[in-house]
């Protein structure tokens, strides 16, 4: 008995298509999922209010607010790339009405009756929450836990140098 291959060609072609579809189409990770390529998310816009709440510091303010531009609001990857120098610069907000100078991961707080130093040794970034569409009234938040040493003279009182953690909660709320 002789079989004609003609009728079986469509069966072979259909089996091949099903096999390719099952492995993700043959190009990529083979996970079987459909992937689309789209341009990056829209850049943030508007004016934002940055609030930093400090917990665990020896001296200084417990919170600060500053109006910033959209470019100052960190994405999750930018926040993940924060360094000890970034954490030190953010610590400067604890000392309003003082002269604060930064040198890498160290800040010095000075005025006629202050000579206080903060040095950041390490940090961790947690709890990053984006803002979705980032419309007015939405917020980006994150937490920085900074391992630091601080001490010295502050407003005429001497504070023994101690090493501890200070938690900075950053909230960027879009206001316009």
């Amino acid at each position: 008995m002789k079989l004609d291959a003609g009728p079986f060609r469509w069966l072979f072609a259909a089996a091949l298509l099903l096999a390719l579809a099952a492995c993700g189409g043959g190009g990529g990770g083979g996970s079987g999922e459909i992937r689309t390529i789209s341009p990056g998310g829209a850049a943030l816009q508007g004016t934002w209010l940055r609030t930093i709440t400090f917990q665990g510091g020896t001296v200084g303010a417990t919170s600060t607010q500053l109006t910033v531009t959209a470019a100052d609001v960190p994405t999750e990857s930018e926040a993940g790339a924060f360094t000890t120098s970034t954490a030190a610069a953010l610590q400067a907000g604890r000392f309003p009405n003082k002269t604060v100078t930064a040198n890498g991961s160290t800040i010095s707080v000075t005025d006629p009756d202050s000579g206080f130093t903060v040095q950041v040794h390490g940090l961790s970034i947690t709890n990053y929450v984006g803002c979705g569409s980032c419309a007015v009234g939405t917020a980006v938040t994150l937490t920085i836990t900074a391992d630091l040493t601080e001490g010295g003279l502050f407003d005429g009182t001497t504070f023994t140098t101690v090493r501890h953690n200070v938690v900075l909660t950053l909230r960027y709320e879009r206001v316009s």
Side-chain angles (χ1 to χ4, degrees):
M1 170 187 246
K2 183 177 173 190
L3 289 176
D4 183 10
F8 294 102
R9 286 185 189 158
W10 69 269
L11 183 59
F12 176 74
L16 182 60
L17 287 174
L18 286 173
L20 283 174
C23 72
S31 64
E33 65 188 52
I34 297 173
R35 298 180 186 183
T36 58
I37 299 173
S38 60
L44 294 179
Q45 298 178 8
T47 303
W48 297 71
L49 180 64
R50 181 187 75 189
T51 303
I52 304 176
T53 305
F54 304 97
Q55 297 170 323
T58 303
V59 296
T62 56
S63 69
T64 62
Q65 288 190 326
L66 179 66
T67 301
V68 298
T69 67
D72 296 317
V73 180
T75 63
E76 187 170 12
S77 62
E78 289 169 339
F82 281 176
T83 65
T84 54
S85 296
T86 308
L90 291 169
Q91 292 284 326
R94 289 175 43 202
F95 308 103
N97 306 317
K98 302 284 186 201
T99 300
V100 179
T101 55
N103 183 8
S105 62
T106 302
I107 61 170
S108 300
V109 181
T110 57
D111 69 9
D113 61 352
S114 296
F116 196 79
T117 303
V118 177
Q119 181 180 10
V120 180
H121 303 288
L123 68 140
S124 66
I125 310 294
T126 56
N127 304 325
Y128 185 93
V129 178
C131 57
S133 66
C134 297
V136 172
T138 60
V140 171
T141 59
L142 64 120
T143 302
I144 300 172
T145 302
D147 168 25
L148 54 83
T149 301
E150 62 182 357
L153 182 67
F154 189 81
D155 285 342
T157 302
T158 301
F159 292 87
T160 303
T161 301
V162 295
R163 184 169 181 165
H164 59 160
N165 287 336
V166 172
V167 177
L168 293 78
T169 304
L170 281 72
R171 177 181 171 82
Y172 295 85
E173 182 178 350
R174 184 166 178 195
V175 293
S176 68

